[in-house]
Amino acid sequence: MSNARWKNSPPGSHWGEFGPDDQLGRMNLVDAGKVREGVAEVKAGVTFCLSLPLDVPGGMTLNARRMPPRLYATLRDGKSAGAQGYGWSYASEDPSLTDVVCDEVMLMNTQYSTQWDSLAHMGSRFDADGDGEAEIVFYNGFRGDRDIHPAAEDPHAAAPWARFPDPKAAVLGIENLARHGAQGRGVLVDLEHHLGRQRKAVGYDELMRIMQADGVEVEPGDMVCLHTGFADTLLAMNRQPDVKRLHDTGSGLDGNDPKLLNWIVDVRLACLIADNPAVELVEAPKLAQPGGGMKRPRLPLHEHCLFKNGIHLGELWYLTDLARWLRAAGRSRFLLTAPPLRLPGAVGSPATPIATV
């Protein structure tokens, strides 16, 4: 399929599936009927919080690029300009007033803990113009040079993290998912029950075996959650992550299995969510010899989902309590309510999803 924005679309992609200017991708399948299907799964009225505390993992050892949240007190203005606005009493300005105010600012990476990836989170170098030169392109042919805007450097930044202020995804930002609602029918696949918490790349054949054993069916528009136990192991470390142990903990999808990638698209699921850091099991890169070797993605499932097919990814969700309840009840489906922050231009967002069973 060609379009004014692209002449070539990537192999295995579905650009233009919901129109050339679509920014929601497969979440378009979560329509009013799908929301009703999700609501119909509410039988016990029990809810599960599917978010880790947003200060977990703890520190920056799990991902040196991502900062944990830090809170700062706001400053007062007016007569009390410059005073700390946390535990601040109005009586300091008017003895007849009894109000005491606490107000704060939060600094954190949008993808530090439980998170959504927007479709702007990952693109690829691809020759969409058909001119023999690869350019930076995102889902539906949106461009890195005119649609997804890196920041200009501030040479006077007060801290290293502030060097590049105000990047912006003018398209495909997380606000599109927030506006849509991110509520529908969730389906849980309990990898941990069958595989334990070993590090293992799960391909199509093994995934189908596990789903068949548990009677799990995925239908178009379902929001698919993969329970590996990783987040539960991480939570038990109490913000002191043991990176070596975590590296050996929990399974993930095999992004190099073409049968699995085809299934993800063909089954028409709306999004993929996992309690591990990347949904797919990230393997160490195998460097090609200089001047040779086929170009390929570092994260093939991310490329397949976010870039090629408009499938949002959720990472580091907490699914263990829900998985155990569903197994005891002989169920795999539930109502999932998981809006990200409506933060225009952001490529990801913290989330506090809720499952209702």
Side-chain angles (χ1 to χ4, degrees), residues 35-342:
V35 174
R36 288 193 296 270
E37 288 182 9
V39 171
E41 296 295 333
V42 178
K43 302 185 173 64
V46 177
T47 61
F48 294 88
C49 176
L50 305 185
S51 175
L52 292 166
L54 289 184
D55 60 352
V56 171
M60 297 175 68
T61 55
L62 193 62
N63 188 327
R65 298 180 301 276
R66 294 179 175 174
M67 297 184 297
R70 188 171 182 186
L71 300 179
Y72 299 83
T74 55
L75 300 179
R76 297 297 302 177
D77 56 1
K79 291 181 182 179
S80 300
Q84 178 178 178
Y86 201 99
W88 183 84
S89 173
Y90 275 93
S92 65
E93 293 183 355
D94 183 344
S96 68
L97 298 177
T98 60
D99 315 60
V100 176
V101 176
C102 292
D103 199 2
E104 64 204 4
V105 175
M106 179 175 69
L107 172 69
M108 74 173 291
N109 192 285
T110 57
Q111 294 169 279
Y112 179 76
S113 184
T114 300
Q115 66 192 256
W116 276 113
D117 289 348
S118 84
L119 302 183
H121 174 52
M122 189 162 289
S124 185
R125 296 190 63 84
F126 172 73
D127 179 17
D129 294 334
D131 59 2
E133 296 290 333
E135 50 272 341
I136 295 177
V137 195
F138 293 80
Y139 172 69
N140 258 0
F142 290 108
R143 301 304 176 89
D145 56 353
R146 60 175 179 258
D147 299 312
I148 313 293
H149 305 291
E153 185 172 6
D154 176 3
H156 307 295
W161 54 261
R163 280 180 57 201
F164 298 98
D166 303 318
K168 185 173 183 179
V171 298
L172 302 177
I174 201 65
E175 72 273 16
N176 295 286
L177 180 59
R179 187 168 57 244
H180 182 66
Q183 183 177 56
R185 187 170 71 188
V187 176
L188 187 132
V189 182
D190 193 354
L191 301 179
E192 186 228 20
H193 179 79
H194 295 269
L195 303 176
R197 296 189 181 184
Q198 62 176 312
R199 179 177 176 83
K200 184 170 186 178
V202 177
Y204 172 83
D205 291 339
E206 187 142 45
L207 182 65
M208 293 303 106
R209 178 183 65 78
I210 290 170
M211 290 174 58
Q212 183 176 19
D214 288 347
V216 177
E217 295 183 2
V218 174
E219 298 177 1
D222 283 342
M223 303 165 77
V224 176
C225 299
L226 304 166
H227 173 235
T228 73
F230 183 98
D232 187 57
T233 299
L234 175 62
L235 186 61
M237 292 177 176
N238 193 27
R239 299 167 182 82
Q240 299 290 326
D242 180 339
V243 176
K244 184 179 185 303
R245 182 181 166 204
L246 288 169
H247 181 269
D248 296 330
T249 296
S251 51
L253 295 184
D254 183 355
N256 292 301
D257 181 354
K259 287 174 64 179
L260 176 64
L261 299 183
N262 289 338
W263 176 82
I264 289 170
V265 172
D266 293 346
V267 79
R268 295 180 66 75
L269 53 78
C271 58
L272 267 175
I273 295 153
D275 61 351
N276 64 22
V279 183
E280 62 187 305
L281 198 71
V282 180
E283 302 289 355
K286 298 177 182 177
L287 299 179
Q289 295 298 319
M294 182 177 293
K295 294 185 183 297
R296 66 213 183 282
R298 171 75 173 85
L299 299 172
L301 185 135
H302 275 63
E303 182 189 69
H304 180 74
C305 290
L306 297 173
F307 169 61
K308 291 185 176 182
N309 291 291
I311 297 170
H312 290 79
L313 300 177
E315 298 164 346
L316 279 178
W317 291 30
Y318 181 74
L319 301 173
T320 297
D321 291 346
L322 172 65
R324 289 173 178 165
W325 191 96
L326 289 172
R327 180 161 296 279
R331 294 173 52 181
S332 61
R333 294 175 169 180
F334 53 96
L335 172 64
L336 178 58
T337 306
L341 299 178
R342 191 172 181 178

